[in-house]
Amino acid sequence: MTSRASLIEMTAAARAAIANPSRIAIVGGLPEPRFELFHAASSLCSQKVRTVLHEKAFSYRSNDMLILSTMGSEGLVPAEHYSPAYIRLRLVAARELNREFVSGYSGRTSVETEGFDPCVVPLLVDHEAGRVIADSQRICIYLDGVSREPLQLVPDAPDTRAEVMRQVGIVDRIPNGALLYGFHPDADLRPEALKASMQTVYDYKVMALERLIADNAGEPELVAAYHAKIVKESGGKRVCHDAAFQRAARQKTGQLLSDLERDLAAGSFGCTNGHSFSLADVLWGVNLVRLNYLGLASMWDALPHVTRYFDVLARRPSLCKEAIRASLDSMPHSRYMDAVADCTAEAIA
């Protein structure tokens, strides 16, 4: 059990890894908020958590981290969420989860199926409860359980709750990592600047992690965390140009979208079907925005219920700010986002 004083100290140390203090800010009106979030503007999983924080109107301290290692004029600059102080804080959450470290690469990011990645965002600190919580799905459910106001994202009614959570599990199985980092052999529609950065991304990751292993050789727990991350990222490098792997990831995504069309048509869930806005809508909304960014919205051209669902979700103020605007502001320009870029005006109207 980590004491309150130790947690404050560890959180401050993790925060200090952020090079630019302007990326540390208070969101909402409380000067000393209960929650503190380590995240990245461009991170899909971070966007899910920030959307929930927005919907719940929670105040929080925002720690926006740079999550790609880069080669600067003075050499390699490791990603900020690789810093030893941040990993130590994340390992507090790992002990509560009691799951093995990630041991391979599937293109998915689910802790439930892939294991615990010690070197990713987001990470939530609840200073009032003295807890550190990892995994975007767990964080979202946790935040919803703190208060039912101004809305409840995971309903109480057993059948409705079961369907919402079934959809949450489906979204967790989308191979988002493969879609973002992989080079599809037939139709790679990602922005050219993004594709260029992905040519070296795995090399820089592994180089940074190897250096951190050498620098922290006296901390076996840190070394084990960095080794696990190297295994995962090395696996990603092996398949990023693998035609069969990339086609399979795209095919899996297409099947899940077809299933979404079926479920929306049946009216089993969804804010477009008269159901209250739920965690399923949050997670599908963020993921559909990401697929649109990657040029994959054509995958639902023949799916009218998904098309309408995306159009409605894109106008939701929380998703407009935390998924659409955040992607526009933090990632290379994608022409596929132009059609939803005016969501701010539409959300206010």
Side-chain angles (χ1 to χ4, degrees), residues 83-107:
S83 73
Y86 175 73
I87 303 305
R88 292 186 192 104
L89 185 63
R90 193 163 169 84
L91 290 175
V92 174
R95 287 188 280 275
E96 181 178 304
L97 269 172
N98 193 30
R99 287 188 176 274
E100 297 292 327
F101 283 157
V102 63
S103 59
Y105 181 84
S106 68

Side-chain angles (χ1 to χ4, degrees), residues 159-336:
D159 290 348
T160 309
R161 181 187 183 92
E163 178 60 15
V164 166
M165 293 310 298
R166 187 177 76 85
Q167 295 294 330
V168 167
I170 290 170
V171 177
D172 219 27
R173 297 199 298 272
I174 298 174
N176 288 301
L179 298 174
L180 178 65
Y181 288 92
F183 293 80
H184 196 276
D186 308 316
D188 189 344
L189 302 174
R190 297 173 300 166
E192 291 302 321
L194 182 65
K195 285 191 276 189
S197 69
M198 293 305 168
Q199 293 285 0
T200 56
V201 65
Y202 287 114
D203 294 328
Y204 291 169
K205 285 183 178 188
V206 172
M207 288 169 62
L209 292 162
E210 288 175 340
R211 178 194 296 177
L212 286 160
I213 287 173
D215 291 346
N216 296 277
E219 286 192 59
E221 200 172 22
L222 276 183
V223 170
Y226 291 135
H227 272 303
K229 185 66 169 175
I230 287 177
V231 169
K232 177 182 176 180
E233 301 304 341
S234 298
K237 180 179 179 179
R238 282 193 295 272
V239 297
C240 68
H241 289 281
D242 184 308
F245 185 91
Q246 298 304 322
R247 289 191 180 108
R250 187 80 62 89
Q251 183 179 16
K252 176 66 174 179
T253 303
Q255 182 58 59
L256 293 176
L257 288 170
S258 295
D259 293 346
L260 174 61
E261 175 72 11
R262 178 202 63 209
D263 293 340
L264 290 171
S268 63
F269 89 104
C271 60
T272 51
N273 283 322
H275 297 277
S276 297
F277 188 80
S278 73
L279 184 58
D281 298 315
V282 169
L283 303 192
W284 269 118
V286 171
N287 233 114
L288 290 172
V289 169
R290 174 55 58 87
L291 293 174
N292 181 71
Y293 172 86
L294 296 172
L296 300 178
S298 61
M299 296 181 76
W300 59 80
D301 278 350
L303 306 176
H305 292 88
V306 177
T307 298
R308 177 169 175 261
Y309 190 46
F310 175 66
D311 289 345
V312 170
L313 291 174
R315 294 192 292 273
R316 184 89 179 180
S318 60
L319 288 162
C320 172
K321 179 183 178 184
E322 303 299 351
I324 295 174
R325 294 306 317 175
S327 298
L328 291 169
D329 293 342
S330 64
M331 301 177 76
H333 174 258
S334 167
R335 62 188 177 89
Y336 301 101

Side-chain angles (χ1 to χ4, degrees), residues 51-130:
T51 301
V52 168
L53 285 163
H54 187 288
E55 290 287 345
K56 304 295 286 190
F58 283 140
S59 184
Y60 64 100
R61 186 186 300 275
S62 164
N63 302 306
D64 184 4
M65 310 187 88
L66 297 180
I67 57 171
L68 288 181
S69 299
T70 57
M71 190 65 70
S73 59
E74 298 182 3
L76 184 67
V77 180
E80 291 172 343
H81 69 317
Y82 288 178
S83 73
Y86 175 73
I87 303 305
R88 292 186 192 104
L89 185 63
R90 193 163 169 84
L91 290 175
V92 174
R95 287 188 280 275
E96 181 178 304
L97 269 172
N98 193 30
R99 287 188 176 274
E100 297 292 327
F101 283 157
V102 63
S103 59
Y105 181 84
S106 68
R108 299 185 298 270
T109 59
S110 171
V111 171
E112 290 293 322
T113 59
E114 312 311 307
F116 182 77
D117 187 335
C119 307
V120 294
V121 290
L123 187 70
L124 182 79
V125 179
D126 182 344
H127 288 286
E128 185 176 305

Side-chain angles (χ1 to χ4, degrees), residues 13-73:
R15 199 185 306 135
I18 299 174
N20 187 344
S22 69
R23 288 188 275 108
I24 302 172
I26 301 295
V27 177
L30 299 179
E32 293 294 333
R34 170 178 177 173
F35 301 112
E36 183 159 1
L37 182 68
F38 291 86
H39 67 105
S42 62
S43 156
L44 179 79
C45 292
S46 297
Q47 290 175 1
K48 295 174 182 177
V49 173
R50 294 198 310 270
T51 301
V52 168
L53 285 163
H54 187 288
E55 290 287 345
K56 304 295 286 190
F58 283 140
S59 184
Y60 64 100
R61 186 186 300 275
S62 164
N63 302 306
D64 184 4
M65 310 187 88
L66 297 180
I67 57 171
L68 288 181
S69 299
T70 57
M71 190 65 70
S73 59

Side-chain angles (χ1 to χ4, degrees), residues 90 93-94 97 111 116 122-124 132-139:
R90 193 163 169 84
L97 269 172
V111 171
F116 182 77
L123 187 70
L124 182 79
V132 184
I133 303 157
D135 180 48
S136 59
Q137 180 178 315
R138 291 184 71 250
I139 295 171

